[in-house]
Amino acid sequence: MSTQDTNRLELLQGTLDLLILRTLIFGAQHGQGIARAIQQTSGRELLVEHGALYPALQRLEDRGWISARWGTSATNRKARFYTLTAAGRKQLAKERTKWKRLVAAIDRILGPELAGG
Amino acid sequence: MWQSGRRPSDFSAEIDAHIELEAERLRQEGLTEAEAAVAARRKFGNVTRAEERFYESGRWLWWDHLTQDIRFSLRNLANAPAFTAVAVLTLALGIGATTVIFSAVYAALLKPLPFANPGRLVAVWKQNPSHGWTWNNVTPAELVAWRDESGAFDDMAAFAPTSCVLTGGGEPEDDPCEQVSSNLFPLLGVSPIRGRVFSADEGRPDSARVVILSYGLWQRRFGGDDRIIGRVIEVNNLMYSVVGVMPEKLPHSYAPPDLSAPALWVAGLTLSPTRFWNDYVGIGRLKAGMSVTAAARRMDAVSARLTGQYAVLTGWNPQVMSLRREVSGDIRPALAVLMGAVFFVLLIACGNVANLLLARGVARAGEFTMRGALGATRGRVVRQLLAESLLLALAGGVAGIVVAYAGCKSLIAAAPPVLLNSAPGLATGVGDLRVLVFALATTLATTVLFGLTPALQGARPRTASARLDAGRPSLRRVPIPPARSTLIVSEVALAVIVLVGAGLMVRTLAGLNRADRGFSAAQVLTLRVSLTGDQYATPLAQEQFLERAVAGIKALPGVDAVSVSRGLPVTGWAGLLFITYDHPNPPSGNWPDANYVVVGPDYFRVMGIPLRRGRTFDGRDIEDAPKVVIVNEHLARTYWPGQNPIGKLLRVGPPASPWRSVAGVVGDVLTRGPEVGRLSEMYLPYQQYPWLMVPEHMVVHTAPGVAPASVAHAVTDAIHSADPRVPVADIEPMERIVRESAGLQRLVMNLLLAFAGLALVLSALGIFGVLAYTVSQRTREISVRAALGAPPRALLHLVCRDAALLTGAGLGIGLAAAFLLTRLMAGLLYGVNPADPLTFGAATVILGCTSLLAAFLPARQAIVADPGLALRHE
């Protein structure tokens, strides 16, 4: 890990799937593109371990939420492009609601920020 | 998790593409080529780890493990060729034998008959309890009454087996045929491949003469003529039109198994309420939901009324059974015995394989411990052993199918006709898939269960205190594990049961062969001629032909004596009622009856039946001479006890028939076999044209040294020179007829002998295996004892004691079980008690010797081994 990565947040278990699905809503993208998009969209706050990305993509593909085919990147390189399927779109909506509820629930428990906390 | 068909190489390619894309981006941000490549790779993290995670989530892991397991198992099995060969062979023989016998049982007893709604078909007979007559033919009058009045039947049909002589165009031939009621085929639900079945009109006596051909006759005699329908053919010298041809595979399973399948069917059997000829076999179709017992009850009520109305039906009750049962005939007990025996053999085979697997498991304990130590999980080891067991079972199964296929072929070749007729499906080979599946499942369960036992024990983490040398000889006293002793005891017990069964059948066959049947079959040739048509309409014409034929045959070289008869010992039984002059009014329903044989002069000489009193027939006994009869000793003793039977009078047939005086008494012939015993018989001279019967058999006694079969051609030619239009059928040596009468017992004996041999070899192998194992475990102990000066005798005793104990226990249990089980086969036995001490003794000795021999070989090996060498080997 490079030093610039050390202060970034590690992803919570299971959130990577949600982020991948969300990223793909803008259209087909390859793995490296997805990783970069997550990092940039999060204001470079989130750390995506590239090595963990691909088993996750494979898992989503197996479940039928995304589909994949080999294509050519903008820089004319071979890459595997992922697209959101209809089932994936539904799943995204579901995961999104779940996430929002989770965040709200945890927020309520944590309460207002305590002075000096 | 296995739905992904993606290959690991594709996954790796994607990762490579990712790293290149990342490096490209980094280069655009200003890094050098080398820096970018390193940074991209670093940023990705552990590539191998990602690949592993992909791999473990996919089916490829599962597939790889499977192929690995199979490869490894194949190597393991190939490395132990003796074990593999014995195990596969044992499984194959067990599966094969079971499949063959179960196929026969299924085809003969269980398989639904190939007719429409076969469960509702019944065979209809009648019985006369006061005479002890059962399964008699019925009259049309009874059939009509049962059908119309009982309310139990949708319909009832009948047929009468007879023979038909085909003439006109080609050799005359005499074929089995059936006269049938016109509703028989619709009732069974079978249709012809050409033309039609008989119409209702054609059941009337005055209707046109029509015939339906079997496929075989159509092909053989008419060359498969396409325009056969409507063709006129000559049957029994009358002209019949062909209206249909039946399919090749039309099963004859609507008839009892001892009737041969007909070559043709003739219409004209009229179901008339006023016909009282006892010539017909009835078949009924029960109304839906009607049980056989309920139908029988209703028929009884109808018969009670009939008996009051017609004196001729007095004493007769209906007898009805499902057609399926009827077709199984008398082979039920034989098949039950075989099924039991083969099931025992299968159990022994399973026991043996279990023993082999257990022994192998013990020998491999070290291997399992080692693999555990190297990090193999318990599941992984179990899975690998499972693969090995499955492979073994699979190989055994495939070999078993081959054995079953070959076995079915030889069974069909060796089977007596009665079995083939009962089991029509058997002729087509391994009858039923379910049978094979059953045998496969049994052995599969055994191999898997016992193949895994050592694995489950061996895979236990603490196994053998992690001793890598487990399975090697030690100085400790090693008892035979209880599982293995139990298996050996069971094997010996099962083997002794099969052995006793086989022994009883051997004694039965010997008894049947030894039995004095009251005649001599040696040197006798039999054949059948049918005299039909206008030229033989008179008894005189028949007599003239028979005299010409007899003279012609007698003149042949190699022929000693010739005669004619109607009815032959063993196959022919024609029980008829008679009265004696001394007791002309026997109580109703208790009339005397006897086998009614019509013979020519010299019949007793040809058949070697001894004359006890009086004389045999000769030229005096012609039509105009006083009517005479010859009776057997049993009849004379029964009806004229303590009196001289010569000159006594008796009468057969309608009251107008003449009284006949007894001219002679001959020895008893056991026509219905030694099992049935002595019965009354009477002989009438054919030249006095007795009531009802025309001779149809010719019997030829050949000179010493001349085989009866060798004169068959010359005899046929002699008959044809008397009249070329008379067909000659069923040319058979009398000895073969006698031998075939015990065909079922012989088949059972041969199969039981084969099974007993198999059981013996398998259980010996089992004992050998266990002893070889204990000896190998005790090499060191034995060597130490030998080095300390123990005599070989003591060492032998040490090793053989285990074998003797196990065999003794097995023998005890087996003999006790055999004592209980052999009673069930009493119906198959003749001349031997089911608890025959000789048979039980012989089985004990044979099995005892075999197991001691099996124990001696490994014991001897241990004793002759050099003690020093064995000790250094440690």
Side-chain angles (χ1 to χ4, degrees), chain B residues 394-451:
Chain B
L394 191 70
V398 170
I401 292 171
V402 175
V403 171
Y405 188 74
C408 264
K409 292 223 141 168
S410 19
L411 178 69
I412 292 160
V418 63
L419 174 61
L420 293 183
N421 290 348
S422 307
L426 184 63
T428 55
V430 178
D432 190 39
L433 205 60
R434 273 172 287 179
V435 173
L436 199 62
V437 169
F438 167 78
L440 280 177
T442 316
T443 51
L444 198 67
T446 313
T447 32
V448 169
L449 181 67
F450 288 94

Side-chain angles (χ1 to χ4, degrees), chain A residues 1 30-32 35-36 39 49-52 54-55 57-58 61-62 70 73 75 77-80 82, chain B residues 1 3-4 6 10-11 13-15 17-18 20-22 24-25 27-28 42-45 50 53-54:
Chain A
M1 297 264 153
H30 50 68
Q32 190 257 352
R36 212 177 49 196
Q39 270 169 20
E49 196 203 320
H50 294 187
Y54 285 93
L57 283 169
Q58 185 60 43
E61 191 184 341
D62 285 346
W70 283 91
S73 74
T75 53
R77 284 184 181 279
K78 251 177 72 97
R80 205 159 182 261
Y82 294 91
Chain B
M1 96 195 258
Q3 60 269 59
S4 158
R6 203 174 164 199
D10 189 76
F11 188 77
E14 187 180 9
I15 291 176
H18 172 101
E20 276 178 29
L21 282 165
E22 186 72 16
E24 193 175 78
R25 191 182 64 86
R27 272 200 306 280
Q28 282 164 6
R42 189 175 57 218
K43 197 154 185 187
F44 188 87
R53 277 168 69 180
F54 167 76

Side-chain angles (χ1 to χ4, degrees), chain B residues 280-339:
Chain B
Y280 304 104
V281 184
I283 294 179
R285 179 173 284 283
L286 294 173
K287 282 193 191 305
M290 177 69 57
S291 76
V292 176
T293 32
R297 244 192 336 269
R298 287 165 176 241
M299 289 164 77
D300 276 336
V302 174
S303 279
R305 185 192 66 73
L306 280 181
T307 301
Q309 195 174 350
Y310 304 105
V312 65
L313 299 177
T314 304
W316 292 97
N317 302 321
Q319 248 182 321
V320 54
M321 71 156 101
S322 82
L323 202 59
R324 172 68 272 188
R325 224 188 134 84
E326 150 129 337
V327 168
S328 303
D330 298 333
I331 63 169
R332 218 165 249 274
L335 285 178
V337 167
L338 289 178
M339 198 161 80

Side-chain angles (χ1 to χ4, degrees), chain B residues 90-379:
Chain B
T90 306
L91 286 174
L93 289 174
I95 295 173
T98 313
T99 307
V100 172
I101 296 303
F102 281 24
S103 294
V105 168
Y106 178 75
L109 304 184
L110 304 172
K111 195 174 179 183
L113 297 177
F115 301 122
N117 286 318
R120 281 163 52 198
L121 293 174
V122 291
V124 178
W125 302 88
K126 64 179 177 181
Q127 60 185 337
N128 191 324
S130 61
H131 275 282
W133 294 336
T134 53
W135 310 116
N136 270 256
N137 287 350
V138 293
T139 65
E142 289 163 306
L143 286 175
V144 170
W146 289 329
R147 179 187 65 190
D148 297 343
E149 296 172 32
S150 74
F153 294 93
D154 274 351
D155 199 2
M156 219 177 242
F159 66 93
T162 166
S163 73
C164 288
V165 174
L166 300 181
T167 41
E171 285 275 300
E173 63 177 74
D174 182 359
D175 289 308
C177 70
E178 280 171 8
Q179 191 182 36
V180 301
S181 63
S182 54
N183 62 344
L184 176 69
F185 293 122
L187 182 140
L188 293 172
V190 295
S191 344
I193 50 167
R194 298 288 172 101
R196 57 174 176 85
V197 295
F198 299 129
S199 69
D201 292 345
E202 285 158 356
R204 300 217 184 89
D206 54 347
S207 70
R209 295 194 185 95
V210 286
V211 65
I212 292 177
L213 304 184
S214 69
Y215 183 86
L217 184 70
W218 176 47
Q219 290 294 322
R220 178 165 48 79
R221 192 167 172 92
F222 302 102
D225 181 4
D226 263 338
R227 286 170 304 171
I228 190 72
I229 304 302
R231 207 170 133 174
V232 174
I233 64 170
E234 203 176 333
V235 180
N236 293 340
N237 299 88
L238 294 170
M239 293 310 187
Y240 281 78
S241 349
V242 177
V243 297
V245 177
M246 279 294 167
E248 187 177 8
K249 290 241 164 80
L250 173 72
H252 191 231
S253 42
Y254 54 84
D258 51 338
L259 295 181
S260 8
L264 62 162
W265 294 266
V266 183
L269 196 168
T270 316
L271 291 180
S272 144
T274 53
R275 233 166 124 164
F276 296 98
W277 294 355
N278 278 316
D279 280 341
Y280 304 104
V281 184
I283 294 179
R285 179 173 284 283
L286 294 173
K287 282 193 191 305
M290 177 69 57
S291 76
V292 176
T293 32
R297 244 192 336 269
R298 287 165 176 241
M299 289 164 77
D300 276 336
V302 174
S303 279
R305 185 192 66 73
L306 280 181
T307 301
Q309 195 174 350
Y310 304 105
V312 65
L313 299 177
T314 304
W316 292 97
N317 302 321
Q319 248 182 321
V320 54
M321 71 156 101
S322 82
L323 202 59
R324 172 68 272 188
R325 224 188 134 84
E326 150 129 337
V327 168
S328 303
D330 298 333
I331 63 169
R332 218 165 249 274
L335 285 178
V337 167
L338 289 178
M339 198 161 80
V342 81
F343 184 61
F344 290 164
V345 171
L346 182 68
L347 286 183
I348 296 175
C350 287
N352 244 13
V353 172
N355 240 331
L356 282 170
L357 287 167
L358 287 178
R360 193 165 147 75
V362 171
R364 289 172 73 183
E367 176 196 332
F368 299 137
T369 316
M370 172 72 87
R371 291 180 63 189
L374 290 179
T377 62
R378 176 169 163 169

